[in-house]
Amino acid sequence: MNKSTLALAVAVGVLAQQASAAGFIEDSKATLGLRNFYINTDNRDSAASTAAGVQNKNEEWGQGFDLRFTSGYTQGTVGFGIDAIGLLGVRLDSGGGTNGATSTSYGGTVFPSKSNGEAVDNFSSLGLTAKAKISQTELKLGTLQPKLPVIVTNDGRLLPQTFQGGQITSNEIKDLTLVGGQIEHAKGRNSSNNEELSIAGANAHTAAGRDSNKFIYGGGDYKITKDLTAQYYYGNLEDFYKQHFLGLVHNWSIGPGVLKSDLRYFNSSDDGANGHDSAYFSSGNDEGFRSGRGKVDNNLYSGLFLYSVAGHTFGGGYQVSNGSSDFPWLNQGDGSSAYLTTDSQIAKFARAGERTWQARYSYDFAKLGLPGATAGIVYLRGDNIDTVGTNGRENGSGRSEWERDLTLAYVVPEGPLKNLGFTWKNAMWRNDVPGQRDQDENRLIVSYSIPLL
C-alpha cells in the first residue's frame, strides 16, 4: 500500500466517526457535469497517408459524466474532509479506423483502445481525496488536479486528466499563497489507469519508454499590489528535469479599458539519468544525437499583452524558446497541457530555438444584449525551427509553423436551462517541419452542469 492510499484509508476511518459533525455535511457540495464531445481531425498532407500507423482522419464522439462531491470540514482545531470525483465516458461513435489509435499510442483521440486497436464502449474511474485543514492551511492526499505554472491538468477532451499525490496550500500570510506537493502518477484523459510520469522523447508506449514516479513542486503567488502579482515556482521530475519559473502579472487601467501584461520565464535543465542515459533524453535539436534527442536544456521567455474595453479584447505576444531541447513538461504521451501562452488547440510552439509571435481578438456579446455568447480568434506563427534526423545530422533548418484557432461559444445565463453550453472550436495548423503533418480540426461540445447539493 503506497503512502497516499494509506493516508486516505486513515482519513476515511476518521470521517466515518465524525461525518455527523457540523460543517462536514452543511458545507458539502455535489455537482454532475455532462459533456457531449465530438472531434474531427483531418490530416491533410500526403505524408499522413503513407506514414506507418497514421490515419488520414481521426473522428470520435462520446458522452461524458463528471460527478463531483466536495465535503466541508469537521469541527475542531484540525478539520477533516473528503472529496470524490467519478468519471464515465460512453462511446457514441468511433468509426472503424478513425479513433486515432496506433500500435505505440496510449489509446485513441478520446477513448482507450482494445488490443485490436478499436475504441472501447466505455471507460471510467473513481478518485478520492482526503483533506485536512488547520487555520488557513490545507493538506490534500489522493486525486489532485493542480493548475500551476509547473504542472497543469489537461481538460481538452471528453474527460479531464487527474494526478495522484499530495499537496499543501497555505494562505496564512496576507496576499501570499504558498503551494507545495508531490505527484506519483497521472491518469490520462483517454484512460482509466494511473501511469507513471515522463516527458516528450522518452514517453514511448514501448519497452524503450522511460518514466518516473516522483515529481515534486512548490512555490507561491505574492500580490504586491491589487494590480500586480509576482510568482515563483519550482518543479523537479526525478531523472528527467529541474525547472524554475518566474512570472509577473499586471493590470493597468488605461482610458476606458484595462491592459493586462503577463510575463513568464522558465529555466529548465537535466536531472539524474536525463543527463547521461539516452533512454531518458528529451526531444530537441541536439546535433550528434539520434533524432536530436538529448538532455534537457531550455530557457523560455514570453510576454502576452491584452487590452479589454467595451466587450472587446485585443492581444499580442511573443515567445522565445532557447536551448538544445524542446521545452519540457509532464507529458505521458496521452494528452497534456503546459503553462505557455502558446499552448493552442493543436500545437504548443515550444520547440528548441523556436520564436513565436501571436495576435488574438475576442468579443463578449453581453455588450450587445446577448449575455453568455462569446467569440474569439488566435493566430500564432513560429519560426527558426531546426530539426535533426535519425542519423544525428540536421535535416531541417529555419523551418516554421502557424496555427489559427477560432472559438464560438454560448452558455445559457438564466432560466430552467441555465449553464447549458454550446461550443465550436476550429483550428488550422500548417508547417514545413520534417516528419510532421498539416492538420485541420473541429470540436463540437455541449455541456451542462447540474447542482445536486
Side-chain angles (χ1 to χ4, degrees), residues 280-328:
Y280 288 80
F281 281 172
S282 164
S283 57
N285 64 3
D286 208 340
E287 287 196 59
F289 293 87
R290 181 181 176 87
S291 301
R293 294 174 60 250
K295 66 180 184 179
V296 171
D297 171 32
N298 185 275
N299 283 283
L300 186 142
Y301 312 78
S302 69
L304 179 64
F305 305 92
L306 304 171
Y307 184 69
S308 300
V309 58
H312 302 273
T313 297
F314 306 89
Y318 189 69
Q319 178 173 284
V320 176
S321 176
N322 282 334
S324 59
S325 79
D326 297 344
F327 173 80

Side-chain angles (χ1 to χ4, degrees), residues 21-24 27 71-75 79-81 131-133 138 140:
F24 181 88
D27 296 331
S71 80
Y73 286 94
T74 60
Q75 291 184 326
F80 295 94
K131 58 186 182 180
K133 185 176 184 180
E138 183 180 54
K140 291 187 175 183

Side-chain angles (χ1 to χ4, degrees), residues 364-447:
D364 184 343
F365 287 88
K367 294 294 182 179
L368 293 180
L370 186 58
T374 57
I377 187 169
V378 182
Y379 178 84
L380 308 95
R381 182 176 181 83
D383 55 26
N384 200 48
I385 301 171
D386 298 332
T387 60
V388 176
T390 55
N391 60 0
R393 298 178 181 178
E394 184 178 274
N395 67 349
S397 177
R399 300 305 176 92
S400 63
E401 60 179 336
W402 63 263
E403 180 170 338
R404 189 271 301 140
D405 295 349
L406 172 66
T407 302
L408 299 177
Y410 177 69
V411 178
V412 178
E414 56 186 3
L417 295 179
K418 182 179 180 180
N419 298 324
L420 177 63
F422 304 88
T423 303
W424 172 49
K425 299 171 72 70
N426 171 271
M428 178 185 292
W429 181 52
R430 298 291 183 268
N431 73 92
D432 60 1
V433 179
Q436 297 299 310
R437 58 190 188 270
D438 295 340
Q439 293 182 23
D440 287 348
E441 184 180 275
N442 284 285
R443 303 179 191 178
L444 297 174
I445 307 164
V446 179
S447 58

Side-chain angles (χ1 to χ4, degrees), residues 99-324:
N99 68 334
T102 68
S103 59
T104 59
S105 71
Y106 281 80
T109 304
V110 174
F111 296 94
S113 52
K114 305 174 185 178
S115 58
N116 61 2
E118 295 180 357
V120 300
D121 292 331
N122 59 76
F123 67 113
S124 61
S125 65
L126 173 65
L128 298 175
T129 307
K131 58 186 182 180
K133 185 176 184 180
I134 179 170
S135 185
Q136 296 299 310
T137 298
E138 183 180 54
L139 170 67
K140 291 187 175 183
L141 294 172
T143 299
L144 304 173
Q145 292 186 295
K147 292 187 178 181
L148 300 169
V150 293
I151 176 171
V152 184
T153 301
N154 180 280
D155 191 19
R157 291 293 186 269
L158 184 67
L159 300 177
Q161 179 187 39
T162 61
F163 295 93
Q164 293 294 314
Q167 177 175 294
I168 186 169
T169 305
S170 178
N171 291 287
E172 300 292 346
I173 301 174
K174 182 182 179 182
D175 298 324
L176 176 65
T177 298
L178 298 173
V179 181
Q182 177 174 317
I183 298 297
E184 298 174 349
H185 296 89
K187 183 190 70 63
R189 61 194 186 185
N190 63 345
S191 176
S192 297
N193 304 320
N194 288 316
E195 307 284 350
E196 292 195 342
L197 313 168
S198 192
I199 62 173
N203 61 9
H205 190 46
T206 65
R210 293 294 183 270
D211 47 41
S212 171
N213 66 353
K214 186 177 182 181
F215 177 76
I216 61 172
Y217 60 97
D221 294 44
Y222 180 61
K223 199 168 185 178
I224 301 172
T225 70
K226 67 180 182 67
D227 296 317
L228 179 63
T229 300
Q231 299 174 294
Y232 169 76
Y233 283 89
Y234 172 78
N236 174 206
L237 179 58
E238 186 176 61
D239 278 328
F240 285 100
Y241 69 89
K242 298 185 290 286
Q243 188 172 80
H244 298 270
F245 168 82
L246 291 172
L248 203 62
V249 179
H250 182 250
N251 292 296
W252 183 18
S253 296
I254 301 178
V258 175
L259 174 65
K260 179 181 179 180
S261 302
D262 187 345
L263 305 178
R264 306 179 186 183
Y265 168 66
F266 287 91
N267 173 269
S268 306
S269 58
D270 63 280
D271 180 75
N274 176 262
H276 58 81
D277 187 340
S278 62
Y280 288 80
F281 281 172
S282 164
S283 57
N285 64 3
D286 208 340
E287 287 196 59
F289 293 87
R290 181 181 176 87
S291 301
R293 294 174 60 250
K295 66 180 184 179
V296 171
D297 171 32
N298 185 275
N299 283 283
L300 186 142
Y301 312 78
S302 69
L304 179 64
F305 305 92
L306 304 171
Y307 184 69
S308 300
V309 58
H312 302 273
T313 297
F314 306 89
Y318 189 69
Q319 178 173 284
V320 176
S321 176
N322 282 334
S324 59

